[in-house]
Amino acid sequence: MYTEGVADLGEMIMLLPLCPPDQKNTKLTLIQERATNRYLPAFENVLKSHRQDYLVGNKLSKADIHLVELLYYVEELDPSLLANFPLLKGLKTRVSNLPAVKKFLQPGSQRKLPGGEKSLERARKIFKF
């Protein structure tokens, strides 16, 4: 259930660069609204309700890793979106400080695929955006 929520918001963010320029602001506003009013509050409430460090019990799970990755994307999109979610920020810090994750997040890592405008244009043609 948690990873599906992550996937829903993540897909919206992932498709944003592919949308036509005249729709970009509308899509961005929708993402910001859904992140702040639907997805992030739901995850924050899960952490608040069971008072543990992770989403599922008190043990790191795949859902936590996926959520933290999403939080990075949300933060890159609009850093202010995480401002009212202290438990999510805490989760992000906790997971980001795990040795393997910390190494992966270092500059020069392969966290993001190489791309650029040429890759975006190719994707737009393939997906007919």
Side-chain angles (χ1 to χ4, degrees), residues 23-48:
Q23 296 176 16
K24 198 165 258 186
N25 284 340
T26 303
K27 297 271 187 191
L28 179 58
T29 301
L30 178 64
I31 292 168
Q32 292 167 322
E33 186 274 323
R34 294 245 174 105
T36 342
N37 298 321
R38 181 185 294 177
Y39 295 102
L40 298 180
F43 290 119
E44 181 83 2
N45 287 335
V46 169
L47 293 171
K48 187 184 293 185

Side-chain angles (χ1 to χ4, degrees), residues 8 43 58 87 100 113:
D8 288 347
F43 290 119
N58 205 23
L87 298 177
L113 296 174

Side-chain angles (χ1 to χ4, degrees), residues 5 12 31 84:
M12 293 173 70
I31 292 168
N84 295 320

Side-chain angles (χ1 to χ4, degrees), residues 4 29 34 48 55 60 66 72 75 82 92 100 117:
E4 287 300 317
T29 301
R34 294 245 174 105
K48 187 184 293 185
L55 289 173
L60 181 68
H66 286 291
Y72 273 101
E75 197 171 53
L82 292 179
K92 180 176 169 270
E117 194 55 42

Side-chain angles (χ1 to χ4, degrees), residues 102-112 114:
K102 191 172 191 170
K103 182 179 178 184
F104 181 71
L105 293 172
Q106 293 301 307
S109 78
Q110 295 188 10
R111 179 166 135 10
K112 290 186 175 184

